[in-house]
Amino acid sequence: ELEDDDEGEEDQELPGFEDNEDNESLEDFENIEDDEDYNINENISSDNSLEKQHNGSFSGINNKNYKYDSSLANSIKSLQNTDETTSYNIETDNLITSDQRIAAFIGTSKNGTSFIVNNLAEVFAEKGIKTAILDLTKNKNSYYIYTNGEEQLRAKAQDCIEKLRGGVIDGIQAGKNLTVYTSLPGEDQSLEDAKNIIQTLLENYTIILLDCDFETDIRYLKIAQEIYLIQSLDVLTIQPLTAFLRDLKSKNLLETEKLRIVINKYMKINRLIEESGIIGAMSNYKDPGMTYMTDLFDENTIKYTTLPFEVQTYAKYLEKIAEYTPTLKGYSKNFLASLNKLADMVYPMASKNNK
């Protein structure tokens, strides 16, 4: 139930969204909500002893440049009580260095979330940064894009997530510095072991990009340092995204300080459909009957960027997907400049690495 909703009031769906499975509410939260021990938003004690225990070593390697990231460590540590039957007591000591990044990307279907994740990964990989894509979507777009129609790669996709659980990195190598972890559509059981999967990735990669949808396990969003909301100019796709955020907020799971916005396929049309108009519409949830509204974040302070709509760029991307050759070659200078701006937003050290 929504905290600010009238008792007994039910949400209605917008026309056209009834059959879209990607836009369903978070049914999985019902079990979490009923669990008295579950308090994912519980304040974590600022125990100075935690920081003192970090001596610059992890995975058996002495890392002199190690810097403890307390905020991410605490986010991971807070997962330990999320379920009575499953242990999520992730060891936070020496888990992550300050030069690592976990970023989640989520948006309504067809707004280009996977498009952005795949191209960002190419940007980081070309800069020499070890990057991993973790496909947490129901549709498993990465499976179709990166298996290249090859039986060997399909077989690798089938068990690469399971291997992550056991501490083994054996994903689909999409380039010198880019590895993709996906699975067969419908086979998500291994992803339930969030703690071991994330721990293995952190021990082997600098940047981890989480390709998410509205059915992604919320624990992955909890671990992410930043959550990028992907939105196009299609205003009809805003309501499912805000409904998702509304559900998070109603269960005290929405961390607004993590939110960022990417307006994809952007072009100037009119004052109503410009950056401020789109962000303003995203900043609150309005039920279809327009009987109540829920504020989600501050539209005046949230960070955002845009990616331009270019027919040539999208045609080139579709061509590469059809040929199983994801690459940045053939994109316009204008689009690449916008993509690099987003890359600097996700990982500011990327521009330094490229100098």
Side-chain angles (χ1 to χ4, degrees), residues 211-225:
D211 190 355
C212 307
D213 59 22
F214 298 152
E215 296 185 31
T216 295
D217 190 326
I218 188 59
R219 293 169 299 168
Y220 288 100
L221 298 181
K222 179 66 179 175
I223 289 175
Q225 293 157 298

Side-chain angles (χ1 to χ4, degrees), residues 109-126:
S109 179
K110 309 305 180 184
N111 272 348
T113 302
S114 294
F115 167 82
I116 290 173
V117 170
N118 295 339
N119 282 295
L120 264 183
E122 290 291 335
V123 170
F124 294 133
E126 288 192 3

Side-chain angles (χ1 to χ4, degrees), residues 150-194:
E150 299 179 11
E151 181 60 33
Q152 182 179 358
L153 294 179
R154 288 197 295 267
K156 180 166 287 192
Q158 192 167 358
D159 62 5
C160 65
I161 301 293
E162 185 64 30
K163 287 183 177 180
L164 281 178
R165 296 179 63 188
V168 177
I169 55 168
D170 188 26
I172 300 172
Q173 203 66 35
K176 182 179 179 182
N177 298 299
L178 175 59
T179 310
V180 179
Y181 293 89
T182 185
S183 59
L184 294 175
E187 297 188 5
D188 297 331
Q189 295 85 353
S190 296
L191 289 171
E192 295 175 1
D193 191 0

Side-chain angles (χ1 to χ4, degrees), residues 63-331:
N63 182 0
K64 296 180 180 179
N65 296 322
Y66 175 80
K67 294 181 180 178
Y68 175 54
D69 188 327
S70 60
S71 61
L72 180 62
N74 286 337
S75 292
I76 296 174
K77 192 176 183 66
S78 69
L79 297 176
Q80 59 186 0
N81 296 320
T82 59
D83 195 294
E84 287 184 342
T85 60
T86 308
S87 174
Y88 293 105
N89 187 17
I90 299 175
E91 289 292 336
T92 58
D93 285 354
N94 310 321
L95 184 62
I96 187 170
T97 59
S98 61
D99 64 343
Q100 289 181 293
R101 179 68 62 186
I102 303 176
F105 298 79
I106 190 167
T108 305
S109 179
K110 309 305 180 184
N111 272 348
T113 302
S114 294
F115 167 82
I116 290 173
V117 170
N118 295 339
N119 282 295
L120 264 183
E122 290 291 335
V123 170
F124 294 133
E126 288 192 3
K127 294 178 184 294
I129 304 171
K130 290 194 68 176
T131 304
I133 295 175
L134 181 59
D135 186 356
L136 300 170
T137 65
K138 183 177 181 180
N139 293 333
K140 303 300 177 192
N141 289 334
S142 292
Y143 173 81
Y144 297 104
I145 293 172
Y146 290 100
T147 55
N148 200 23
E150 299 179 11
E151 181 60 33
Q152 182 179 358
L153 294 179
R154 288 197 295 267
K156 180 166 287 192
Q158 192 167 358
D159 62 5
C160 65
I161 301 293
E162 185 64 30
K163 287 183 177 180
L164 281 178
R165 296 179 63 188
V168 177
I169 55 168
D170 188 26
I172 300 172
Q173 203 66 35
K176 182 179 179 182
N177 298 299
L178 175 59
T179 310
V180 179
Y181 293 89
T182 185
S183 59
L184 294 175
E187 297 188 5
D188 297 331
Q189 295 85 353
S190 296
L191 289 171
E192 295 175 1
D193 191 0
K195 69 164 187 175
N196 286 322
I197 289 172
I198 292 297
Q199 184 165 345
T200 301
L201 290 173
L202 284 171
E203 290 173 353
N204 292 279
Y205 299 96
T206 301
I207 297 178
I208 303 167
L209 304 179
L210 308 179
D211 190 355
C212 307
D213 59 22
F214 298 152
E215 296 185 31
T216 295
D217 190 326
I218 188 59
R219 293 169 299 168
Y220 288 100
L221 298 181
K222 179 66 179 175
I223 289 175
Q225 293 157 298
E226 296 175 347
I227 301 172
Y228 289 80
L229 308 177
I230 311 302
Q231 180 60 48
S232 69
L233 297 184
D234 183 356
V235 295
L236 294 179
T237 64
I238 293 178
Q239 200 273 347
L241 175 60
T242 58
F244 172 78
L245 297 176
R246 181 277 317 268
D247 287 341
L248 293 183
K249 182 174 182 178
S250 69
K251 297 171 177 63
N252 294 321
L253 296 170
L254 183 63
E255 299 174 281
T256 56
E257 70 278 3
K258 290 185 177 182
L259 299 181
R260 310 286 187 270
I261 292 176
V262 180
I263 302 178
N264 192 27
K265 308 176 188 177
Y266 179 74
M267 57 182 174
K268 291 187 178 296
I269 299 178
N270 58 47
R271 295 185 63 183
L272 292 177
I273 310 179
E274 60 181 12
E275 295 103 313
S276 59
I278 294 295
I279 294 172
M282 295 172 66
S283 68
N284 52 71
Y285 169 81
K286 302 180 182 69
D287 81 298
M290 301 298 289
T291 57
Y292 68 91
M293 182 176 72
T294 302
D295 291 328
L296 300 171
F297 57 80
D298 187 343
E299 63 181 291
N300 297 311
T301 59
I302 191 167
K303 296 179 181 179
Y304 77 94
T305 190
T306 63
L307 288 176
F309 175 74
E310 297 178 347
V311 174
Q312 178 184 353
T313 295
Y314 281 90
K316 197 68 179 177
Y317 177 74
L318 294 175
E319 178 184 320
K320 296 169 187 175
I321 296 304
E323 297 175 352
Y324 303 103
T325 56
T327 175
L328 300 176
K329 294 180 180 179
Y331 290 164

